[in-house]
Amino acid sequence: GKLIGSILLDRLQPTTKTVVNKLGEVGGPFRTYQMGLLAGEDDYFVHVVEHGVSLYFDLRKVYWCTRLEGERTYMLKNEFQPNQIIADAFCGCGAQLIRAASKKGCRIVANDLNPDAVEYCKESARKNGIDVSPGNFDVQCGDAREFIMNLGMRMSESSSTTPSSDTTINTSKLPHHLLLNFPLDSPSFLNALRWWPSGEVMDPPPRIHVYTFARGDDERTEAEVAIDMVADGLLPEGGYSIASKFRGDYLNELGCNVEAREIRDAAPGKLVICVSFSASRTLLRRMQGDFFD
């Protein structure tokens, strides 16, 4: 390992000063991992340039996955439109958001449980010339479920002129997109959407993007399993003993326009799937207990 590290360091200098080896799996509340120093300086602070955007963070303190660069580019090209509001409940060091703000002028409302990730996100945004004033690039540190709930509750209180703080999202509109990129458990946070106002007309309705691990079974593909996980997170069915299956059509009947994409392999037979759907008024009313059309 040390020999390989030295060879890599020689080839990558002067842009690279440290070579490390990942030890074990991502773990802990902040999804970080241990590293072993193979060569170079004992310094883990990095400067990453992705499509012209600079990111600055300590690799030991935040989650980072270079393999998601393609997914971030896909979202910018195919989902986000100029000047939209993008919300992210698990923003990490903010690569997706900084690119959206820098390249498309999007307004950002975001959250992460990791205080270091939040500070690195804000600092990187500043260094990229982004206005981080309230209402333009708001990033808070807190619980993702409360963040999602507050997006809707803030909408209901939009007549208030109370200025934002580190724990208050400063927007009077629902976001155009909400990202839930926590594959280990993203679907379980979807029930927080029932706090969103169902009487508000948004055309098109907010688009929710849920990233989750999924394994196919004898009946369903990985994508079908992921869609059922999302459906169960939104509208649980069958109690605790009967698993919900093939509920994509049901969600589409509620105006959700469900789509599923394979993002990457996570392990043999285990994929990361992104399930995207629209938070339609009908869906929100169902989540709030209104079953009358």
Side-chain angles (χ1 to χ4, degrees):
K2 296 285 187 180
L3 176 60
I4 294 175
S6 297
I7 294 173
L8 287 173
L9 188 63
D10 288 341
R11 290 182 177 180
L12 297 174
Q13 285 182 334
T15 58
T16 300
K17 298 181 179 180
T18 305
V19 179
V20 300
N21 182 36
K22 178 182 174 182
L23 303 176
E25 299 297 323
V26 173
F30 301 149
R31 299 179 289 166
T32 55
Y33 50 80
Q34 298 296 315
M35 289 172 286
L37 179 65
L38 295 181
E41 302 175 9
D42 189 17
D43 182 1
Y44 301 89
F45 192 84
V46 301
H47 173 205
V48 177
V49 179
E50 186 173 287
H51 291 270
V53 167
S54 291
L55 306 167
Y56 305 86
F57 54 87
D58 188 325
L59 193 58
R60 297 170 301 178
K61 297 181 178 180
V62 302
Y63 175 81
W64 173 253
C65 182
T66 302
R67 293 176 63 190
L68 291 177
E69 177 275 330
E71 173 62 12
R72 290 189 281 268
T73 298
Y74 176 91
M75 295 298 289
L76 284 169
K77 289 184 176 180
N78 299 283
E79 295 288 350
F80 301 162
Q81 299 300 317
N83 304 314
Q84 287 187 325
I85 300 173
I86 312 299
D88 191 338
F90 306 96
C91 69
C93 60
Q96 181 76 87
L97 305 179
I98 294 170
R99 287 181 61 183
S102 176
K103 303 301 183 181
K104 292 205 166 184
C106 294
R107 290 171 56 193
I108 303 301
V109 287
N111 173 83
D112 201 273
L113 187 63
N114 183 346
D116 290 315
V118 169
E119 290 306 312
Y120 289 136
C121 179
K122 293 178 181 178
E123 185 60 24
S124 292
R126 293 189 189 98
K127 289 182 177 179
N128 282 278
I130 296 170
D131 176 12
V132 296
S133 62
N136 189 68
F137 197 96
D138 289 335
V139 187
Q140 69 177 44
C141 180
D143 177 74
R145 193 180 310 278
E146 291 184 5
F147 169 78
I148 298 168
M149 290 169 55
N150 287 337
L151 288 173
M153 295 173 69
R154 180 72 177 184
M155 176 69 195
S156 300
E157 300 169 359
S158 59
S159 59
S160 172
T161 58
T162 304
S164 69
S165 67
D166 288 341
T167 58
T168 302
I169 295 303
N170 185 29
T171 178
S172 60
K173 295 178 62 178
L174 289 174
H176 296 92
H177 297 273
L178 170 61
L179 307 178
L180 300 179
N181 195 345
F182 180 41
L184 189 63
D185 201 27
S186 286
S188 73
F189 291 84
L190 290 171
N191 58 9
L193 292 176
R194 67 188 180 92
W195 292 92
W196 285 21
S198 58
E200 180 69 17
V201 177
M202 285 190 69
D203 186 20
R207 196 76 175 152
I208 316 301
H209 308 278
V210 184
Y211 296 80
T212 183
F213 293 128
R215 293 182 183 272
D217 56 31
D218 293 338
E219 299 177 87
R220 300 170 295 173
T221 64
E222 289 86 356
E224 289 170 333
V225 168
I227 291 172
D228 284 341
M229 294 169 67
V230 166
D232 203 43
L234 293 167
L235 296 164
E237 182 179 81
Y240 294 102
S241 59
I242 304 175
S244 301
K245 295 183 179 181
F246 303 108
R247 298 185 67 199
D249 288 342
Y250 172 65
L251 291 180
N252 286 333
E253 291 173 2
L254 302 179
C256 293
N257 188 23
V258 179
E259 298 177 334
R261 295 182 293 110
E262 178 181 329
I263 306 304
R264 63 181 177 89
D265 295 328
K270 181 180 181 181
L271 303 179
V272 176
I273 302 291
C274 177
V275 178
S276 300
F277 67 92
S278 298
S280 67
R281 295 178 66 192
T282 304
L283 170 67
L284 296 176
R285 290 203 308 267
R286 292 292 170 87
M287 294 182 71
Q288 293 162 2
D290 181 358
F291 292 91
F292 296 96
D293 294 327

